[in-house]
Amino acid sequence: MEPWQRIAQAEAQAHAGFGTSERFGPLVAAFVAPGLPLNTAWHDGSRVPDTAELAAFEAFSVAHAVPATLHVLSPAVPGLLPLLRERGYALEYVLHLYTHTLQTLPPVTLPVQEEPDADAWAAVSAQGFGPGSEDIMRVVAHAPGTRRFVARPGGVPAGSGALGVNGAVGALYGMSTLPDARNRGVQAALIAARLHAAQAAGATVATVFTTPGTGSERNVVRAGFSLGGMRLTFTRSISTR
């Protein structure tokens, strides 16, 4: 199995832990609640879905009144694109995939603690992401396998991040910094702490998805991550066809 396939498989398996989930061949779909960005499917990197599997995923989406939205890692896109085009999917957005081999880790420069209280972590996280993020962060906080971290310089919460370890893959996600704590190294500390935790949990590679050109992307590069590809998100409008 190629490294990118292990990452896709780990993401698909983690996605199955959200809400109501169902597998359609290589596609793992989930529905959590109306209006949440987790109402999507992950392609697990194994093979191209056949028409019946893709149609079944689309029927799942229609049943839950959400657009059929599919995340695909870039190496799988050439094989999938003809089928997606045929069925009316359009590229919605792209994130960069970064990987870290966990051999040489950056130091943790600020106090970071693991947070056992899911609701407390979600509250801190939502303060960083801003109004409207409360529901999604509570879902993330309570998801199976989520490890929650809070940076506390001076004992005061300044930012948060999550980690999920699936086999050899440690996924970093859900990172935010409170507005009055920005530009103080909070993200760097959260990244480093989760890399150390991923290594201690037996992972051999860590992953993170970032929006291209953002401060978060610059922070993960400074932490030793390398660009490993892209996550492309395709969407098909709600249809009863």
Side-chain angles (χ1 to χ4, degrees):
M1 185 182 295
E2 295 291 331
W4 72 268
Q5 291 175 304
R6 282 193 287 272
I7 293 169
Q9 185 179 78
E11 290 290 344
Q13 289 175 350
H15 195 60
F18 289 105
T20 300
S21 66
E22 194 166 341
R23 177 177 280 274
F24 306 98
L27 309 180
V28 177
F31 174 79
V32 181
L36 294 185
L38 290 168
N39 301 328
T40 61
W42 257 96
H43 177 254
D44 72 4
S46 61
R47 61 174 174 83
V48 175
D50 60 33
T51 301
E53 290 164 341
L54 194 55
F57 159 58
E58 292 161 3
F60 173 90
S61 301
V62 169
H64 292 287
V66 297
T69 302
L70 177 60
H71 300 314
V72 186
L73 292 187
S74 48
V77 170
L80 275 164
L81 200 53
L83 180 58
L84 295 180
R85 282 175 172 165
E86 178 185 331
R87 299 192 66 82
Y89 286 79
L91 179 64
E92 185 172 353
Y93 60 92
V94 174
L95 297 180
H96 281 165
L97 164 65
Y98 280 89
T99 63
H100 197 300
T101 60
L102 301 181
Q103 294 172 343
T104 302
L105 303 182
V108 183
T109 54
L110 295 174
V112 177
Q113 299 170 340
E114 198 156 354
E115 176 55 70
D117 187 327
D119 290 327
W121 181 90
V124 173
S125 184
Q127 289 178 57
F129 282 113
S133 63
E134 295 84 0
D135 288 346
I136 183 64
M137 298 324 298
R138 278 194 293 270
V139 170
V140 171
H142 285 275
T146 298
R147 295 179 61 181
R148 302 165 295 268
F149 295 79
V150 175
R152 300 179 185 275
V156 179
S160 61
L163 168 70
V165 178
N166 194 311
V169 180
L172 279 62
Y173 55 97
M175 183 168 66
S176 71
T177 305
L178 274 63
D180 59 359
R182 289 171 185 165
N183 301 312
R184 299 182 186 177
V186 172
Q187 284 201 2
L190 284 164
I191 292 169
R194 289 178 294 163
L195 289 177
H196 283 268
Q199 183 192 61
T204 58
V205 64
T207 63
V208 66
F209 294 99
T210 69
T211 301
T214 59
S216 292
E217 182 172 54
R218 291 188 289 273
N219 284 332
V220 301
V221 171
R222 281 194 287 265
F225 282 80
S226 300
L227 185 63
M230 296 180 290
R231 190 193 81 180
L232 291 84
T233 298
F234 296 90
T235 299
R236 181 177 185 259
S237 297
I238 297 174
S239 172
T240 56
R241 188 183 67 174

